[in-house]
Amino acid sequence: MRRDHSVGRLLTRAFAVLVALIVCAGIAEMTAVLLQHRVVRELSTHVQPLELANAQLRSVLADAQRGLRGFSLTGDSQMLDTYHVARSDYSLVSGHLRTLADAQESQAVEDQLRGADAWFALAEQQRQARPRSDEAVRFVSEGKVLFQAFAADNQALDADLAARTESLQKQSSRLGSITLVVLIVLTLGAALTALVTAVVTARRITRPLGEVVGVLARRGQGQLDARADARSGPTEIRAVAAAVNSMADEGDRARLAERDIAALRSQVRELGYRIRTHLTVREAIGEAIQGLAPIMRAQHVLVRMAPGQAGVPQLTSLHDEHVDGPLAPLAGCPVDWLHSGDVWATDDPAPAGDVRPPEAERQAWEQIGRGPVLTVAVSAGDECLGALTLIRDTGPAFTAVDIRLTEVVAADLGRGVHLARLYEREQQLVARLQEVDTAKTDFMSTVSHELRTPLTSISGYVELLLDAEAGELTPPQTRMLDVIGRNTRRLRELIEEMLILSKIESGAFQTTRLPLDLIALVEGAVAAIAPAAAKAEVGLHTELHGPLEVSADADQLDRVLMNLLSNAVKFTPPTGTVTLLVRREDTEVVITVADTGMGIPEGEQKALFTRFFRASNAVRQAVPGTGLGLAIVSTVVDNHGGHIEVQSTEGVGTTFTIHLPMS
């Protein structure tokens, strides 16, 4: 304590000395300024104006003498004007000189003014004398003597004034020197006082304070165990060191708490992820209960679902305590007092809203024990699905962090239950759709097979009639049978496509790949489509670069070519062109079918190979078709290890390009 007081007294005395030195320096500076101001004022307002007035008087008399003398010796009247001007200025200058002179200079001023008056009196006589006369010459000589006497008095006053100016300047210089010396002495005193104070401060204050700063710096660099010495140094420094240590301890506690909270958050996030991965409602609820109990240190966990939740277990608890265990009374309590987002906890540090559990719920808690209780609504959007209740037999109340993390788990559980229910419904729907799809496929296959037999009979009898097996036909009858035959072929092709599509969907569509000459296959397809092209007035151009041998299913590849060529002819208007190009590119065979037809709208090209798809412009123009051909084409090409591309511009044309591997 003695050291503390000595430091305080030293600082107080040093401050008092510094203040005294500053005051003394200010007084000295003020005194010097006032004295120098007086000297400057005397010089500027008296001595220097008096010197100037004295010089003006001398100048006026000199001008008057020069003008009068010139007139007397030359007779030039213009020089007499100079005399008159000087005579007029004399009265003003002499009056101003008398005004400036004080008691010290008044006698000298009056002496030289008497001499000046005497000269002007003689000058008036000289002015009246005839120029260049003897009388004028005499007056000039007499006036010279009088002017010299005036000049002597004038110079004497100048000398006195110059001496006074020099004396005042020396006085000002001495004052400045004295002031400078005083200021230097005072400054040195202040510097010495500051130095002594700094040394003592550095020894008794700065050094321990620097140690405290060093501790803070080390903690900032990660040395969290660094502590300041709170047992040495002045009281204030010890207090600062103690505050730093207290703050460090508090920071360590906060850091440990934050680490624990971060660990809880990580566990809650992991639990939420596990809840959402379950695809059944029961598994999602069980995961939430089993995972939340150890995280929240709860001995009892119960999930109660709200009424009307179909396909969801109404009650689930840790260790099935809701059956015949301590949670049985609570399990019988409804959860209709909760709404989406509601939370209630005993000793809630931040209660929200008007959430109030009913009396039956409170009595059920009391039967379990006196431990803290936390209930959180399990929600999916604005719908309250149920309640999640956590109970501790003993221990502290649930903290705000516990409540927030439990809310997160409850929200994940709500989403998990909602998604699991959706998944289960989706699975049920998928199963029903698969049953419907299987029934549809079976129906299509059965119908196609059943249609093929009577269609074959119809086609056979049409051919017999056309061959005149039953007698000669009239031309109208022949045309009717041609129409029947043409539609019979279309119906047969439709049935074939439906059978192929049925096989594709059932997985029974097989591709038997054997070596074959692609050029021969293409030429056969061109020959088959040529009559239809000629009838539609569509030009058919081919460019075949062979021979090209590929490993393929001849029937399926022929169906691909016929489908693309027939489509090209069908969608191309008269005078249009269909071009078929077959060539080899590296290890691939490229088949290109291009037409100048109606094209396909750009937005519809992605769905082109979907079954039953038909372009909107083809539908508008009533072009016949089933929308099955390109789906079959895409499947056949894929089965051959190739791929198909399409480029089309509406109103310009369409180009299909098939890439198949070489044998």
Side-chain angles (χ1 to χ4, degrees), residues 477-635:
Q477 291 174 336
T478 302
R479 287 195 297 272
M480 292 178 185
L481 289 175
D482 287 337
V483 172
I484 294 173
R486 185 165 60 253
N487 285 281
T488 301
R489 287 191 297 274
R490 288 181 57 190
L491 187 56
R492 184 188 298 116
E493 292 174 358
L494 175 59
I495 292 173
E496 290 295 330
E497 289 180 347
M498 291 178 64
L499 284 171
I500 292 174
L501 186 62
S502 177
K503 291 180 180 179
I504 291 174
E505 292 178 347
S506 64
F509 185 70
Q510 301 294 328
T511 299
T512 303
R513 300 172 63 177
L514 298 172
L516 60 86
D517 183 4
L518 180 61
I519 298 300
L521 186 67
V522 170
E523 289 175 344
V526 171
I529 202 68
K535 185 176 181 180
E537 300 181 7
V538 173
L540 183 60
H541 302 286
T542 60
E543 185 177 342
L544 310 178
H545 300 277
L548 295 174
E549 184 174 312
V550 297
S551 178
D553 189 312
D555 293 336
Q556 294 181 11
L557 203 56
D558 181 68
R559 179 174 293 277
V560 168
L561 292 170
M562 290 300 297
N563 189 290
L564 293 179
L565 289 171
S566 62
N567 279 350
V569 171
K570 179 169 59 176
F571 291 111
T572 300
T575 70
T577 303
V578 173
T579 302
L580 173 62
L581 173 63
V582 181
R583 65 190 184 281
R584 175 176 180 173
E585 291 184 359
D586 297 330
T587 60
E588 290 184 335
V589 172
V590 180
I591 303 172
T592 302
V593 178
D595 63 60
T596 59
M598 65 176 64
I600 305 165
E602 183 177 358
E604 302 177 5
Q605 293 179 14
K606 292 183 178 179
L608 192 60
F609 298 102
T610 305
R611 58 182 180 176
F612 302 112
F613 170 79
R614 301 198 66 218
S616 58
N617 52 355
V619 174
R620 286 194 304 269
Q621 298 183 29
V623 179
T626 62
L628 297 177
L630 290 180
I632 296 173
V633 166
S634 177
T635 302

Side-chain angles (χ1 to χ4, degrees), residues 303-349:
V303 173
R304 292 169 288 171
M305 302 307 294
Q309 302 295 324
V312 179
Q314 295 300 309
L315 295 169
T316 310
S317 64
L318 190 66
H319 311 309
D320 292 331
E321 296 174 299
H322 66 283
V323 180
D324 293 322
L327 297 183
L330 182 60
C333 296
V335 295
D336 53 0
W337 58 279
L338 285 171
H339 299 88
S340 177
D342 283 349
V343 177
W344 192 91
T346 53
D347 302 324
D348 188 354

